[in-house]
PDB file of all heavy atoms in Angstrom:
ATOM      1  N   ARG D   9      52.002  -5.283 -12.851  1.00  0.00           N
ATOM      2  CA  ARG D   9      52.166  -6.702 -12.460  1.00  0.00           C
ATOM      3  C   ARG D   9      50.944  -7.524 -12.773  1.00  0.00           C
ATOM      4  O   ARG D   9      50.818  -8.766 -12.624  1.00  0.00           O
ATOM      5  CB  ARG D   9      52.515  -6.813 -11.126  1.00  0.00           C
ATOM      6  CG  ARG D   9      53.952  -6.221 -10.658  1.00  0.00           C
ATOM      7  CD  ARG D   9      54.066  -6.244  -9.137  1.00  0.00           C
ATOM      8  NE  ARG D   9      53.174  -5.320  -8.479  1.00  0.00           N
ATOM      9  CZ  ARG D   9      53.085  -5.292  -7.138  1.00  0.00           C
ATOM     10  NH1 ARG D   9      53.887  -5.907  -6.401  1.00  0.00           N
ATOM     11  NH2 ARG D   9      52.251  -4.346  -6.570  1.00  0.00           N
ATOM     12  N   ALA D  12      47.111  -8.056 -18.820  1.00  0.00           N
ATOM     13  CA  ALA D  12      45.815  -7.594 -19.333  1.00  0.00           C
ATOM     14  C   ALA D  12      44.803  -8.724 -19.454  1.00  0.00           C
ATOM     15  O   ALA D  12      43.596  -8.511 -19.236  1.00  0.00           O
ATOM     16  CB  ALA D  12      45.968  -6.907 -20.712  1.00  0.00           C
ATOM     17  N   THR D  15      43.135  -9.360 -16.074  1.00  0.00           N
ATOM     18  CA  THR D  15      42.191  -8.382 -15.828  1.00  0.00           C
ATOM     19  C   THR D  15      40.803  -8.477 -16.586  1.00  0.00           C
ATOM     20  O   THR D  15      39.831  -8.432 -16.061  1.00  0.00           O
ATOM     21  CB  THR D  15      42.708  -6.960 -16.081  1.00  0.00           C
ATOM     22  OG1 THR D  15      44.028  -6.804 -15.259  1.00  0.00           O
ATOM     23  CG2 THR D  15      41.820  -5.820 -15.605  1.00  0.00           C
ATOM     24  N   ARG D  16      41.072  -8.775 -17.904  1.00  0.00           N
ATOM     25  CA  ARG D  16      39.802  -9.145 -18.817  1.00  0.00           C
ATOM     26  C   ARG D  16      39.019 -10.189 -18.194  1.00  0.00           C
ATOM     27  O   ARG D  16      37.763 -10.061 -18.083  1.00  0.00           O
ATOM     28  CB  ARG D  16      40.208  -9.402 -20.149  1.00  0.00           C
ATOM     29  CG  ARG D  16      40.694  -8.245 -20.994  1.00  0.00           C
ATOM     30  CD  ARG D  16      41.030  -8.739 -22.353  1.00  0.00           C
ATOM     31  NE  ARG D  16      40.063  -9.323 -23.115  1.00  0.00           N
ATOM     32  CZ  ARG D  16      39.185  -8.773 -23.878  1.00  0.00           C
ATOM     33  NH1 ARG D  16      39.277  -7.392 -24.050  1.00  0.00           N
ATOM     34  NH2 ARG D  16      38.300  -9.402 -24.569  1.00  0.00           N
ATOM     35  N   LEU D  24      29.518 -11.390 -15.429  1.00  0.00           N
ATOM     36  CA  LEU D  24      28.592 -12.503 -15.497  1.00  0.00           C
ATOM     37  C   LEU D  24      27.793 -12.673 -14.193  1.00  0.00           C
ATOM     38  O   LEU D  24      26.646 -13.021 -14.128  1.00  0.00           O
ATOM     39  CB  LEU D  24      29.363 -13.804 -15.925  1.00  0.00           C
ATOM     40  CG  LEU D  24      28.621 -14.943 -16.438  1.00  0.00           C
ATOM     41  CD1 LEU D  24      27.653 -14.565 -17.601  1.00  0.00           C
ATOM     42  CD2 LEU D  24      29.584 -16.034 -16.907  1.00  0.00           C
ATOM     43  N   ARG D  43      32.557  -3.316  -8.586  1.00  0.00           N
ATOM     44  CA  ARG D  43      32.691  -4.590  -8.049  1.00  0.00           C
ATOM     45  C   ARG D  43      34.112  -5.082  -7.983  1.00  0.00           C
ATOM     46  O   ARG D  43      34.583  -5.719  -6.963  1.00  0.00           O
ATOM     47  CB  ARG D  43      31.821  -5.677  -8.897  1.00  0.00           C
ATOM     48  CG  ARG D  43      32.109  -7.060  -8.646  1.00  0.00           C
ATOM     49  CD  ARG D  43      31.563  -7.474  -7.204  1.00  0.00           C
ATOM     50  NE  ARG D  43      30.148  -7.454  -7.230  1.00  0.00           N
ATOM     51  CZ  ARG D  43      29.381  -8.564  -7.463  1.00  0.00           C
ATOM     52  NH1 ARG D  43      29.923  -9.662  -7.868  1.00  0.00           N
ATOM     53  NH2 ARG D  43      28.129  -8.490  -7.296  1.00  0.00           N
ATOM     54  N   LEU D  61      31.572  -6.175 -24.034  1.00  0.00           N
ATOM     55  CA  LEU D  61      31.727  -7.082 -23.029  1.00  0.00           C
ATOM     56  C   LEU D  61      30.917  -8.270 -23.104  1.00  0.00           C
ATOM     57  O   LEU D  61      31.393  -9.521 -22.918  1.00  0.00           O
ATOM     58  CB  LEU D  61      31.532  -6.254 -21.664  1.00  0.00           C
ATOM     59  CG  LEU D  61      31.518  -7.224 -20.377  1.00  0.00           C
ATOM     60  CD1 LEU D  61      32.895  -7.983 -20.211  1.00  0.00           C
ATOM     61  CD2 LEU D  61      31.428  -6.369 -19.082  1.00  0.00           C
ATOM     62  N   ALA D  89      31.278 -42.410 -35.148  1.00  0.00           N
ATOM     63  CA  ALA D  89      31.149 -43.179 -33.973  1.00  0.00           C
ATOM     64  C   ALA D  89      29.736 -43.421 -33.532  1.00  0.00           C
ATOM     65  O   ALA D  89      29.425 -44.103 -32.496  1.00  0.00           O
ATOM     66  CB  ALA D  89      31.990 -42.824 -32.810  1.00  0.00           C
ATOM     67  N   LEU D  95      26.436 -36.267 -28.942  1.00  0.00           N
ATOM     68  CA  LEU D  95      25.659 -35.767 -27.805  1.00  0.00           C
ATOM     69  C   LEU D  95      26.556 -35.444 -26.529  1.00  0.00           C
ATOM     70  O   LEU D  95      26.243 -34.542 -25.822  1.00  0.00           O
ATOM     71  CB  LEU D  95      24.571 -36.683 -27.453  1.00  0.00           C
ATOM     72  CG  LEU D  95      23.398 -36.817 -28.416  1.00  0.00           C
ATOM     73  CD1 LEU D  95      22.476 -37.977 -28.135  1.00  0.00           C
ATOM     74  CD2 LEU D  95      22.621 -35.535 -28.609  1.00  0.00           C
ATOM     75  N   ILE D 101      30.101 -28.967 -23.921  1.00  0.00           N
ATOM     76  CA  ILE D 101      30.244 -27.637 -24.350  1.00  0.00           C
ATOM     77  C   ILE D 101      29.167 -26.784 -23.678  1.00  0.00           C
ATOM     78  O   ILE D 101      29.391 -25.874 -23.060  1.00  0.00           O
ATOM     79  CB  ILE D 101      30.170 -27.559 -25.857  1.00  0.00           C
ATOM     80  CG1 ILE D 101      31.410 -28.010 -26.486  1.00  0.00           C
ATOM     81  CG2 ILE D 101      29.951 -26.047 -26.268  1.00  0.00           C
ATOM     82  CD1 ILE D 101      31.417 -28.126 -27.974  1.00  0.00           C
ATOM     83  N   ARG D 114      17.156 -16.179 -20.223  1.00  0.00           N
ATOM     84  CA  ARG D 114      16.554 -15.141 -19.447  1.00  0.00           C
ATOM     85  C   ARG D 114      16.488 -13.825 -20.247  1.00  0.00           C
ATOM     86  O   ARG D 114      15.611 -12.991 -20.037  1.00  0.00           O
ATOM     87  CB  ARG D 114      17.215 -14.902 -18.122  1.00  0.00           C
ATOM     88  CG  ARG D 114      17.109 -15.988 -17.118  1.00  0.00           C
ATOM     89  CD  ARG D 114      17.480 -15.606 -15.669  1.00  0.00           C
ATOM     90  NE  ARG D 114      18.759 -15.045 -15.639  1.00  0.00           N
ATOM     91  CZ  ARG D 114      19.949 -15.798 -15.484  1.00  0.00           C
ATOM     92  NH1 ARG D 114      19.943 -17.106 -15.251  1.00  0.00           N
ATOM     93  NH2 ARG D 114      21.129 -15.080 -15.514  1.00  0.00           N
ATOM     94  N   GLU D 115      17.610 -13.578 -21.000  1.00  0.00           N
ATOM     95  CA  GLU D 115      17.846 -12.238 -21.626  1.00  0.00           C
ATOM     96  C   GLU D 115      17.909 -12.317 -23.222  1.00  0.00           C
ATOM     97  O   GLU D 115      18.556 -11.541 -23.743  1.00  0.00           O
ATOM     98  CB  GLU D 115      19.128 -11.678 -21.126  1.00  0.00           C
ATOM     99  CG  GLU D 115      19.215 -11.564 -19.565  1.00  0.00           C
ATOM    100  CD  GLU D 115      18.706 -10.370 -19.016  1.00  0.00           C
ATOM    101  OE1 GLU D 115      18.253  -9.536 -19.716  1.00  0.00           O
ATOM    102  OE2 GLU D 115      18.682 -10.160 -17.797  1.00  0.00           O
ATOM    103  N   LEU D 119      19.778  -9.673 -25.836  1.00  0.00           N
ATOM    104  CA  LEU D 119      20.952 -10.256 -26.598  1.00  0.00           C
ATOM    105  C   LEU D 119      20.577 -10.309 -28.188  1.00  0.00           C
ATOM    106  O   LEU D 119      21.401 -10.848 -28.902  1.00  0.00           O
ATOM    107  CB  LEU D 119      21.276 -11.596 -26.099  1.00  0.00           C
ATOM    108  CG  LEU D 119      21.838 -11.726 -24.741  1.00  0.00           C
ATOM    109  CD1 LEU D 119      22.119 -13.162 -24.308  1.00  0.00           C
ATOM    110  CD2 LEU D 119      23.081 -10.888 -24.545  1.00  0.00           C
ATOM    111  N   TYR D 121      20.965  -8.240 -30.532  1.00  0.00           N
ATOM    112  CA  TYR D 121      22.024  -7.712 -31.458  1.00  0.00           C
ATOM    113  C   TYR D 121      23.023  -8.674 -31.705  1.00  0.00           C
ATOM    114  O   TYR D 121      23.815  -8.565 -32.713  1.00  0.00           O
ATOM    115  CB  TYR D 121      22.546  -6.508 -30.809  1.00  0.00           C
ATOM    116  CG  TYR D 121      23.442  -6.685 -29.580  1.00  0.00           C
ATOM    117  CD1 TYR D 121      24.863  -6.775 -29.619  1.00  0.00           C
ATOM    118  CD2 TYR D 121      22.915  -6.762 -28.278  1.00  0.00           C
ATOM    119  CE1 TYR D 121      25.631  -6.990 -28.510  1.00  0.00           C
ATOM    120  CE2 TYR D 121      23.665  -6.984 -27.151  1.00  0.00           C
ATOM    121  CZ  TYR D 121      25.063  -7.080 -27.243  1.00  0.00           C
ATOM    122  OH  TYR D 121      25.828  -7.406 -26.192  1.00  0.00           O
ATOM    123  N   LEU D 135      22.845 -30.058 -36.004  1.00  0.00           N
ATOM    124  CA  LEU D 135      22.996 -31.270 -35.069  1.00  0.00           C
ATOM    125  C   LEU D 135      22.027 -32.287 -35.337  1.00  0.00           C
ATOM    126  O   LEU D 135      22.316 -33.531 -35.376  1.00  0.00           O
ATOM    127  CB  LEU D 135      22.750 -30.740 -33.588  1.00  0.00           C
ATOM    128  CG  LEU D 135      23.157 -31.626 -32.388  1.00  0.00           C
ATOM    129  CD1 LEU D 135      24.523 -32.184 -32.609  1.00  0.00           C
ATOM    130  CD2 LEU D 135      22.917 -30.958 -31.192  1.00  0.00           C
ATOM    131  N   VAL D 153      15.459 -33.466 -32.561  1.00  0.00           N
ATOM    132  CA  VAL D 153      15.201 -32.112 -32.008  1.00  0.00           C
ATOM    133  C   VAL D 153      15.112 -32.200 -30.473  1.00  0.00           C
ATOM    134  O   VAL D 153      15.533 -31.505 -29.616  1.00  0.00           O
ATOM    135  CB  VAL D 153      14.127 -31.441 -32.710  1.00  0.00           C
ATOM    136  CG1 VAL D 153      13.776 -30.169 -31.912  1.00  0.00           C
ATOM    137  CG2 VAL D 153      14.486 -31.138 -34.093  1.00  0.00           C
ATOM    138  N   ALA D 155      16.053 -34.732 -28.548  1.00  0.00           N
ATOM    139  CA  ALA D 155      17.196 -35.117 -27.870  1.00  0.00           C
ATOM    140  C   ALA D 155      18.188 -33.968 -27.626  1.00  0.00           C
ATOM    141  O   ALA D 155      18.628 -33.718 -26.579  1.00  0.00           O
ATOM    142  CB  ALA D 155      17.966 -36.147 -28.706  1.00  0.00           C
ATOM    143  N   GLY D 157      17.505 -30.638 -27.884  1.00  0.00           N
ATOM    144  CA  GLY D 157      16.961 -29.634 -27.174  1.00  0.00           C
ATOM    145  C   GLY D 157      16.780 -29.977 -25.573  1.00  0.00           C
ATOM    146  O   GLY D 157      17.122 -29.143 -24.793  1.00  0.00           O
ATOM    147  N   ALA D 160      20.244 -29.770 -23.752  1.00  0.00           N
ATOM    148  CA  ALA D 160      20.602 -28.418 -23.412  1.00  0.00           C
ATOM    149  C   ALA D 160      19.695 -27.830 -22.227  1.00  0.00           C
ATOM    150  O   ALA D 160      20.208 -27.171 -21.425  1.00  0.00           O
ATOM    151  CB  ALA D 160      20.513 -27.487 -24.596  1.00  0.00           C
ATOM    152  N   ASP D 161      18.410 -28.233 -22.286  1.00  0.00           N
ATOM    153  CA  ASP D 161      17.518 -27.741 -21.255  1.00  0.00           C
ATOM    154  C   ASP D 161      17.793 -28.253 -19.915  1.00  0.00           C
ATOM    155  O   ASP D 161      17.642 -27.650 -18.880  1.00  0.00           O
ATOM    156  CB  ASP D 161      16.039 -28.105 -21.685  1.00  0.00           C
ATOM    157  CG  ASP D 161      15.498 -27.219 -22.794  1.00  0.00           C
ATOM    158  OD1 ASP D 161      16.233 -26.289 -23.166  1.00  0.00           O
ATOM    159  OD2 ASP D 161      14.518 -27.537 -23.318  1.00  0.00           O
ATOM    160  N   CYS D 162      18.435 -29.532 -19.842  1.00  0.00           N
ATOM    161  CA  CYS D 162      18.733 -30.109 -18.576  1.00  0.00           C
ATOM    162  C   CYS D 162      19.707 -29.222 -17.801  1.00  0.00           C
ATOM    163  O   CYS D 162      19.750 -29.098 -16.551  1.00  0.00           O
ATOM    164  CB  CYS D 162      19.346 -31.438 -18.806  1.00  0.00           C
ATOM    165  SG  CYS D 162      18.120 -32.822 -19.068  1.00  0.00           S
ATOM    166  N   ARG D 175      25.578 -35.517 -16.034  1.00  0.00           N
ATOM    167  CA  ARG D 175      26.013 -35.874 -17.387  1.00  0.00           C
ATOM    168  C   ARG D 175      25.517 -37.213 -17.882  1.00  0.00           C
ATOM    169  O   ARG D 175      24.853 -37.222 -19.039  1.00  0.00           O
ATOM    170  CB  ARG D 175      27.553 -35.916 -17.485  1.00  0.00           C
ATOM    171  CG  ARG D 175      28.211 -36.051 -18.836  1.00  0.00           C
ATOM    172  CD  ARG D 175      29.654 -35.951 -18.724  1.00  0.00           C
ATOM    173  NE  ARG D 175      30.257 -35.931 -20.082  1.00  0.00           N
ATOM    174  CZ  ARG D 175      30.596 -36.997 -20.819  1.00  0.00           C
ATOM    175  NH1 ARG D 175      30.256 -38.171 -20.436  1.00  0.00           N
ATOM    176  NH2 ARG D 175      31.078 -36.748 -22.017  1.00  0.00           N
ATOM    177  N   ILE D 179      22.511 -37.548 -20.897  1.00  0.00           N
ATOM    178  CA  ILE D 179      22.914 -38.077 -22.188  1.00  0.00           C
ATOM    179  C   ILE D 179      22.143 -39.375 -22.380  1.00  0.00           C
ATOM    180  O   ILE D 179      21.728 -39.564 -23.548  1.00  0.00           O
ATOM    181  CB  ILE D 179      24.484 -38.338 -22.216  1.00  0.00           C
ATOM    182  CG1 ILE D 179      25.134 -37.009 -22.189  1.00  0.00           C
ATOM    183  CG2 ILE D 179      24.825 -39.188 -23.505  1.00  0.00           C
ATOM    184  CD1 ILE D 179      26.684 -37.100 -22.034  1.00  0.00           C
ATOM    185  N   ALA D 185      15.668 -40.759 -26.296  1.00  0.00           N
ATOM    186  CA  ALA D 185      14.792 -39.964 -27.272  1.00  0.00           C
ATOM    187  C   ALA D 185      15.031 -40.235 -28.710  1.00  0.00           C
ATOM    188  O   ALA D 185      14.030 -40.321 -29.492  1.00  0.00           O
ATOM    189  CB  ALA D 185      14.944 -38.451 -26.930  1.00  0.00           C
TER     190      ALA D 185
END
Side-chain angles (χ1 to χ4, degrees):
R9 294 175 295 179
T15 303
R16 282 178 62 90
L24 197 51
R43 168 68 68 93
L61 173 53
L95 290 169
I101 288 172
R114 295 193 305 268
E115 304 272 1
L119 297 174
Y121 69 95
L135 191 55
V153 169
D161 288 347
C162 282
R175 190 177 191 272
I179 294 168

